[in-house]
Amino acid sequence: LSGLTWPAGAVMLLDLSRIRAGAEHIERRFPPSEVAARDEEFRITSPVNFVGEVHKDGHKARLTGRVTATLECDCSRCLEPYSIPVDAELDLLFLPVADVATQATEEERAVEEDDLGVSYYKDETIDLGEVVREQFYLALPMKPLCQETCMGLCPVCGANRNRETCACETTWVDPRLEALKALKKG
C-alpha cells in the first residue's frame, strides 16, 4: 500500500496540506458505518473501496479514482430490498472556498457551465465521505426496480404480485367521469 492511508476508524478527511505538488496515491477501505447515508434512500451493505490519486497544483486539487461497494435500496414497485453493485469512476476538481468568497457570495454568484464539475474544499481538507456518498447517489437509478418485470403491489390488498396472486378487482374509474357515465346509461 503506497501513498496516503488512514488508520482504521479514522475520519474520512483528506488533508491537502500534507500533499506536495504532483500526485499522491490513495487507497482505502471503509466499513459501511463510516460512510452511512444520512437518509433512507439506500443502505451500504459491503465495505467501500476507494482507490485513486490526488493531484495538487497550487490551490487546485484534482481527485481521480474509483469507488466500489454494494448498496441496497427498496424497489419502487414492490418495496422489497435489492442489491445494486456500484463501480463508479470519479474525476473531480476542487478549489478552495475562499476563492469563491472573494468573487461573490454564494447567493449572488451565477453558476457557469465550467462550475458544474467543480467542488470546493475548506481548511485544506476534502471530506472523502461526502465524495463517496455523492458517487452513490449518482449511481442510484431514478426509479429503482428489483427487476424490469416487477409487478409491484396490489393496490387493493397490498399483496406482492411477484410472489402471490390475488383476486382483487383493480379496475379504476376516474371519479370525475362518473357523471358522464351516468348520462350515457340514461
Side-chain angles (χ1 to χ4, degrees), residues 8-166:
V11 178
M12 299 176 61
L13 297 178
L14 175 60
D15 185 1
L16 294 175
S17 65
R18 294 182 10 183
I19 300 171
R20 294 173 181 77
E24 293 278 344
H25 184 73
I26 302 169
E27 196 168 320
R28 182 70 170 112
R29 183 179 184 116
F30 300 106
S33 60
E34 284 188 31
V35 191
R38 293 191 169 91
D39 57 26
E40 294 296 321
E41 281 190 56
F42 63 86
R43 293 159 298 284
I44 304 167
T45 59
S46 72
V48 178
N49 295 305
F50 180 84
V51 177
E53 290 191 355
V54 62
H55 304 267
K56 190 172 177 189
D57 181 20
H59 292 294
K60 294 179 184 178
R62 185 173 186 178
L63 184 64
T64 58
R66 177 175 299 270
V67 176
T68 58
T70 302
L71 306 181
E72 181 182 76
C73 74
D74 298 328
C75 177
S76 61
R77 288 185 189 161
C78 69
L79 304 178
E80 291 292 322
Y82 75 100
S83 295
I84 300 174
V86 175
D87 186 357
E89 286 191 39
L90 59 98
D91 186 354
L92 303 170
L93 176 64
F94 286 87
L95 299 174
V97 172
D99 287 356
V100 177
T102 57
Q103 293 174 8
T105 65
E106 287 185 36
E107 293 83 25
E108 295 172 349
R109 189 168 184 266
V111 177
E112 297 173 13
E113 191 168 329
D114 292 343
D115 296 336
L116 296 178
V118 177
S119 297
Y120 298 94
Y121 67 87
K122 184 177 175 183
D123 301 327
E124 290 292 316
T125 58
I126 295 174
D127 184 352
L128 289 178
E130 288 297 320
V131 170
V132 167
R133 279 186 290 276
E134 178 180 276
Q135 296 307 308
F136 289 163
Y137 281 110
L138 291 172
L140 286 177
M142 298 235 350
K143 184 175 183 177
L145 295 175
C146 60
Q147 56 188 346
E148 285 296 319
T149 59
C150 178
M151 295 185 284
L153 301 176
C154 172
V156 178
C157 71
N160 185 338
R161 292 179 170 170
N162 297 317
R163 286 194 244 140
E164 56 188 285
T165 58
C166 62

